[in-house]
Amino acid sequence: MKNKWFCYIQINEEENYVNTSGMTFNEFYEGIQVKPNNILILKGYPGDRYCQFDNKTDLEYVTSDNIKDFAQTNVYDYGDFYWLDFESIDSLKSISDLELAEILFLAHKAKPVKTFRFGCLNNQYVYCCHDDSWSVKVYMNRIESYKSVIEYKILKELKGKKKTISPFPKDISDRLYTLFKQGGIIDFEYGVKDSVRIYPVGCLNDMDAIHEKLDKLRTCLKGLSLGYNRVTKKWDLYEW
């Protein structure tokens, strides 16, 4: 499948998860304001350079000392890459057999039996991706905090070689979050200078369908434009 410069986002507030295509693990990590203390690897193997082995769960984990460096690596090579965060090494010892069974179910099905949060771990996230950015499902305790990930992604793509670019004002951030609750595509490739096109598309679970939808939308003069004025240093979101 041809690589296209876009990002699909659909936020499910009822079940506290976000589906994306086009958002890498590194972008998610850099975009979240609350970083994980440690991460328990459910699928994928980062290697001995970053990982340690937990005898209680028979799973690998990455400590806070290595997470930032690990987030710079190419997780695409793992194929499936799943993890959840946990507060401290000691908390791994508190996992019950039932909780471990639920964690392994989550690792197999990318959905929880009851909840994606485990009290003994005090986790904030469960992250499940295939081929890094191709298909991502991430559960978040504070789903509205995904606003900062959306902002990070757009600012990163538009910033280019420029040294600075202003953050989103609250009203723009809130409007984008509301839009992406219904499902939308950010089109970086077909946007004009210092702007991106945004297409409301609804909930699309099949990645091939997202690509096909984007092809059709790029031929239509309908959608929204998010633009940045480098003179006034202001953002504007409008229909076109």
Side-chain angles (χ1 to χ4, degrees):
M1 179 65 69
K2 178 184 175 183
N3 182 35
K4 299 176 181 178
W5 195 21
F6 77 94
C7 184
Y8 169 78
I9 301 172
Q10 194 268 319
I11 300 166
N12 187 319
E13 284 191 323
E14 291 184 1
E15 299 183 47
N16 278 69
Y17 69 77
V18 183
N19 278 330
T20 66
S21 181
M23 184 80 73
T24 67
F25 164 58
N26 178 257
E27 288 167 339
F28 173 78
Y29 175 81
E30 294 294 339
I32 52 177
Q33 294 178 336
V34 178
K35 308 297 185 188
N37 287 342
N38 311 276
I39 61 175
L40 187 65
I41 308 298
L42 307 182
K43 278 190 178 182
Y45 178 56
D48 293 336
R49 179 181 177 185
Y50 298 105
C51 277
Q52 298 183 50
F53 184 76
D54 175 55
N55 291 312
K56 178 69 179 290
T57 61
D58 287 342
L59 295 171
E60 308 283 341
Y61 65 92
V62 181
T63 65
S64 56
D65 293 337
N66 292 320
I67 288 178
K68 188 170 181 60
D69 289 338
F70 169 59
Q72 306 296 321
T73 62
N74 181 18
V75 302
Y76 175 88
D77 293 339
Y78 307 153
D80 290 336
F81 173 54
Y82 294 8
W83 58 266
L84 60 81
D85 64 299
F86 60 96
E87 196 164 39
S88 67
I89 305 302
D90 288 340
S91 63
L92 292 178
K93 301 175 184 177
S94 303
I95 297 177
S96 68
D97 289 345
L98 179 58
E99 287 171 323
L100 179 57
E102 292 183 354
I103 288 171
L104 295 177
F105 177 89
L106 199 160
H108 182 63
K109 300 292 287 186
K111 65 179 181 180
V113 176
K114 296 179 181 177
T115 175
F116 69 94
R117 299 204 68 203
F118 301 91
C120 61
L121 301 179
N122 194 27
N123 64 304
Q124 304 299 306
Y125 312 105
V126 171
Y127 189 92
C128 309
C129 77
H130 175 70
D131 288 350
D132 196 7
S133 66
W134 175 255
S135 175
V136 182
K137 185 176 189 178
V138 55
Y139 291 88
M140 304 177 66
N141 182 39
R142 293 183 62 250
I143 193 73
E144 68 277 4
S145 67
Y146 200 80
K147 291 176 183 178
S148 67
V149 181
I150 297 169
E151 180 176 0
Y152 175 84
K153 174 69 173 179
I154 295 175
L155 265 59
K156 175 192 171 188
E157 300 293 351
L158 289 186
K159 186 176 179 181
K161 296 181 180 179
K162 302 292 183 179
K163 292 184 178 180
T164 62
I165 187 169
S166 298
F168 290 166
K170 185 178 184 303
D171 66 314
I172 293 290
S173 184
D174 291 345
R175 287 174 64 189
L176 289 174
Y177 180 81
T178 299
L179 184 154
F180 290 122
K181 285 196 293 184
Q182 305 303 317
I185 298 174
I186 309 170
D187 187 357
F188 297 106
E189 187 171 342
Y190 275 51
V192 297
K193 182 180 179 181
D194 295 332
S195 72
V196 296
R197 291 182 179 180
I198 300 177
Y199 312 107
V201 295
C203 182
L204 299 173
N205 292 319
D206 181 82
M207 297 305 112
D208 290 331
I210 293 172
H211 282 74
E212 292 173 5
K213 188 74 171 180
L214 179 59
D215 282 338
K216 294 178 181 178
L217 289 169
R218 280 174 167 169
T219 64
C220 302
L221 296 177
K222 186 177 181 181
L224 295 96
S225 179
L226 174 66
Y228 179 67
N229 187 316
R230 293 189 183 270
V231 176
T232 64
K233 302 185 185 304
K234 291 184 178 180
W235 291 91
D236 191 19
L237 180 63
Y238 55 92
E239 293 185 6
W240 54 272

